[in-house]
């Protein structure tokens, strides 16, 4: 959630930043009007309260000195009634303001390149050597190895579900274990978290209310299937005050993820790239503001080194302002090379949300002066397991449809 105080103090700065993310001007104008009205009404309420306090002190003096208190009492009562009216007006305005603000995205960092969409993202680095084949490489769904059964996945559930069998299922499990071990060696503390979350939890990391249509809701319960372990890991510390000595806090977890993909109709309808259920190993960090940039780079390096260890060519992509996610202030995507598709595809997205999520989830720490400060939160895939499986199938494919196993995974197989 953006800082309401900053909004009221320097509205033009906030507007300029949010316009880079494509926020509608009408929404911003409504936000400005409401923010100004709320600030003015709160000031009016505080002025009445201050006047009431002064007269209340006078009331004690009047009684002590046997002065006429009738007129004074009447003024105090009028101020009391006025204050109650203003408190209700402020409450209504602040509720309306908070309701709008919960749907407003984070402001991008000033370092983020301006751009309208993914076509204006910036390649930062290309790593690894693309494989050379003596045959025409196939896309993963055309490899004749029996690893993926799309038909039975659809029969069990519906479209965009798949079942893995045999060595495909074993490789999926091997990748999960390898990623968790890799992250633990980089200092991330492993967690096992619920695969469901309540509405307050999803509100804390920004999935609600904006992306309700993308979530699978449990009927009759205040529960949703999680779209990412970021939700669970970050909100472990919802409404808590941490000690500064505990930070930075590095967390990792494996979970299945569930997404309706409501906004991606018609995209990637074949294969494992865009499924309603997929496995992911997640990284989350909770830091002080001073630590967050260094930790951000550490998380990018961790995911990139993981791809390198698997022998998978990839590139680092700096997202422009128009392609940033709702909660992100800055994001670097990792895109893995898929020879069957002859293109790079996103396999990890690492974001620093600054204090945007912490303000929503009330995650704070106590500094050396015993002052409560909002933490910074960061998150990133390490990696999307199904897409890593796809990348291995396409980069390590053989002409007969079999797939060689990366050296680092052999002990897990």
């Amino acid at each position: 959630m953006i800082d309401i105080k900053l909004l009221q103090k320097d509205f033009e700065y906030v507007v300029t930043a949010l316009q880079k993310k494509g926020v509608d001007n009408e929404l911003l104008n409504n936000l400005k009007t409401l923010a100004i009205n709320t600030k003015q009404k709160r000031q009016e309420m505080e002025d009445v309260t201050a006047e009431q306090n002064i007269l209340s002190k006078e009331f004690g003096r009047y009684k002590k000195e046997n002065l006429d208190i009738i007129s004074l009492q009447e003024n105090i009562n009028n101020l009391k009634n006025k204050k109650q009216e203003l408190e209700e007006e402020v409450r209504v305005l602040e509720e309306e303001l908070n309701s709008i603000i919960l749907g407003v995205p984070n402001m991008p960092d000033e370092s983020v390149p301006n751009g309208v969409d993914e076509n204006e993202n910036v390649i930062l680095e290309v790593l690894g050597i693309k494989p050379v084949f003596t045959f025409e490489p196939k896309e993963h769904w055309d490899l004749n190895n029996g690893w993926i059964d799309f038909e039975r996945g659809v029969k069990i559930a519906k479209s965009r579900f798949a079942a893995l069998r045999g060595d495909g299922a074993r490789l999926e499990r091997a990748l999960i274990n390898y990623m968790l071990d890799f992250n633990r060696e980089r200092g991330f503390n492993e967690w096992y978290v619920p695969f469901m979350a309540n509405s307050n939890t999803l509100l804390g990391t920004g999935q609600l209310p904006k992306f309700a249509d993308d979530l699978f809701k449990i009927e009759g319960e205040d529960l949703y299937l999680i779209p990412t372990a970021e939700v669970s890991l970050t909100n472990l510390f919802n409404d808590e005050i941490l000690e500064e000595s505990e930070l930075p806090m590095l967390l990792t977890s494996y979970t299945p993820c569930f997404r309706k993909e409501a906004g991606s109709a018609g995209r990637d309808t074949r294969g494992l790239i865009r499924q309603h259920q997929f496995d992911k190993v997640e990284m989350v960090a909770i830091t002080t503001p001073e630590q967050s940039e260094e930790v951000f780079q550490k998380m990018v390096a961790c995911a990139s080194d993981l791809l390198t260890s698997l022998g998978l060519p990839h590139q680092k992509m700096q997202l422009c302002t128009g392609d940033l996610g709702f909660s992100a202030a800055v994001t670097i995507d990792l895109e893995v090379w898929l020879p069957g598709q002859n293109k790079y595809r996103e396999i990890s997205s690492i974001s620093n949300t600054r204090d945007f999520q912490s303000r929503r989830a009330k995650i704070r720490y106590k500094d050396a002066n015993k002052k409560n400060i909002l933490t910074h939160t960061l998150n990133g895939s390490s990696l999307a397991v199904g897409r890593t499986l796809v990348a291995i199938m396409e980069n390590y494919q053989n002409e007969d449809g079999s797939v060689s196993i990366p050296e680092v995974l052999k002990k897990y197989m």
Side-chain angles (χ1 to χ4, degrees):
M1 187 166 69
I2 60 173
D3 187 354
I4 295 178
K5 291 181 180 178
L6 176 61
L7 178 70
Q8 293 171 331
K9 179 182 177 182
D10 195 348
F11 185 81
E12 295 307 318
Y13 170 78
V14 175
V15 166
T16 300
L18 290 176
Q19 283 174 333
K20 294 176 182 178
K21 261 194 169 181
V23 178
D24 183 68
N25 282 333
E26 184 178 351
L27 172 62
L28 292 173
N29 288 331
N30 289 340
L31 193 60
K32 179 178 182 179
T33 300
L34 193 56
I36 291 172
N37 289 344
T38 303
K39 185 177 181 180
Q40 290 176 343
K41 193 61 68 173
R42 173 165 283 281
Q43 184 60 57
E44 189 178 343
M45 182 188 74
E46 290 173 356
D47 290 343
V48 168
T49 301
E51 187 177 354
Q52 181 187 0
N53 290 338
I54 292 171
L55 292 185
S56 295
K57 291 179 181 178
E58 283 290 286
F59 185 81
R61 183 177 67 83
Y62 271 43
K63 287 194 72 174
K64 187 177 180 179
E65 297 177 6
N66 287 322
L67 299 174
D68 183 9
I69 62 170
I70 295 175
S71 177
L72 182 61
Q73 182 69 65
E74 185 178 346
N75 287 339
I76 292 174
N77 289 338
N78 288 337
L79 289 170
K80 182 180 179 181
N81 292 334
K82 181 64 175 176
K83 178 185 173 184
Q84 289 176 343
E85 291 174 7
L86 289 168
E87 284 176 339
E88 178 60 19
E89 291 180 43
V90 169
R91 184 191 66 78
V92 171
L93 285 169
E94 287 185 342
E95 280 187 3
E96 187 178 353
L97 182 60
N98 284 328
S99 177
I100 293 177
I101 283 181
L102 286 174
V104 174
N106 196 4
M107 297 185 297
D109 282 357
E110 293 183 2
S111 63
V112 175
N114 286 332
V116 176
D117 55 31
E118 60 187 16
N119 296 313
E120 297 184 75
N121 293 339
V122 178
I123 297 173
L124 299 177
E125 188 177 9
V126 179
L127 300 103
I129 300 172
K130 297 176 183 177
V132 177
F133 299 94
T134 58
F135 56 92
E136 186 70 25
K138 295 179 179 179
E139 298 191 69
H140 64 284
W141 58 76
D142 285 331
L143 292 175
N144 186 27
N145 57 17
W147 284 13
I148 311 171
D149 194 324
F150 293 107
E151 290 76 14
R152 287 187 172 92
V154 172
K155 180 173 68 174
I156 293 169
K158 65 174 187 177
S159 61
R160 296 201 178 185
F161 285 89
L164 300 178
R165 65 180 162 208
D167 286 341
R170 293 177 65 207
L171 183 55
E172 180 91 356
R173 177 162 51 91
L175 282 167
I176 292 167
N177 287 329
Y178 177 61
M179 290 178 191
L180 288 171
D181 288 346
F182 192 94
N183 290 348
R184 282 195 304 106
E185 290 174 3
R186 294 296 180 99
F188 289 82
N189 189 23
E190 185 177 344
W191 284 77
Y192 183 79
V193 293
F195 300 163
M196 298 182 190
N198 58 40
S199 56
N200 183 62
T201 296
L202 288 153
L203 187 76
T205 37
Q207 283 74 26
L208 286 179
K210 181 74 172 178
F211 302 104
D213 289 344
D214 278 324
L215 300 172
F216 285 99
K217 176 81 168 62
I218 308 301
E219 188 175 354
E221 298 279 352
D222 181 27
L223 286 172
Y224 298 78
L225 295 174
I226 60 169
T228 166
E230 165 204 339
V231 172
S232 306
L233 288 172
T234 305
N235 282 283
L236 287 168
F237 307 97
N238 188 300
D239 201 13
E240 290 190 21
I241 300 173
L242 306 170
E243 294 297 326
E244 188 171 5
S245 59
E246 298 179 83
L247 306 178
M249 196 178 286
L250 308 179
L251 319 169
T252 189
S253 182
Y254 151 73
T255 66
C257 305
F258 306 89
R259 299 180 188 178
K260 287 185 179 179
E261 298 285 2
S264 60
R267 295 178 61 192
D268 298 311
T269 54
R270 297 192 69 186
L272 292 178
I273 292 294
R274 197 176 295 276
Q275 295 276 288
H276 290 309
Q277 175 186 319
F278 59 95
D279 290 330
K280 187 152 66 82
V281 172
E282 186 78 359
M283 298 179 290
V284 161
I286 299 174
T287 75
T288 67
E290 295 77 19
Q291 297 165 339
S292 70
E293 181 57 33
E294 181 181 351
V295 172
F296 177 65
Q297 297 302 330
K298 176 176 181 174
M299 291 170 69
V300 172
C302 185
S304 177
D305 291 348
L306 180 53
L307 284 167
T308 298
S309 75
L310 291 167
L312 295 174
H314 59 284
Q315 62 185 16
K316 296 177 183 177
M317 184 74 76
Q318 170 88 60
L319 298 196
C320 69
T321 53
D323 199 31
L324 282 178
F326 179 79
S327 296
V330 57
T331 297
I332 292 178
D333 276 3
L334 299 182
E335 298 180 341
V336 69
W337 175 250
L338 298 183
Q341 296 188 25
N342 194 36
K343 64 172 66 172
Y344 287 99
R345 297 300 302 266
E346 178 198 335
I347 195 168
S348 175
S349 190
I350 296 107
S351 298
N352 192 339
T353 76
R354 305 302 181 191
D355 61 9
F356 183 82
Q357 291 180 332
S358 292
R359 183 171 282 105
R360 297 168 73 106
K362 300 176 184 176
I363 306 173
R364 297 142 291 168
Y365 71 94
K366 196 174 293 292
D367 69 6
N369 298 317
K370 304 300 180 183
K371 184 179 178 182
N372 293 338
I373 308 293
L374 288 170
T375 66
H376 279 195
T377 64
L378 304 91
N379 63 79
S381 315
S382 174
L383 308 157
V385 181
R387 294 192 180 195
T388 310
L389 177 69
V390 167
I392 290 173
M393 290 177 71
E394 294 199 12
N395 282 276
Y396 284 87
Q397 63 180 288
N398 302 306
E399 191 169 8
D400 62 0
S402 63
V403 177
S404 300
I405 302 300
E407 192 65 35
V408 294
L409 294 177
K410 289 182 177 178
K411 66 179 181 180
Y412 293 89
M413 295 287 285

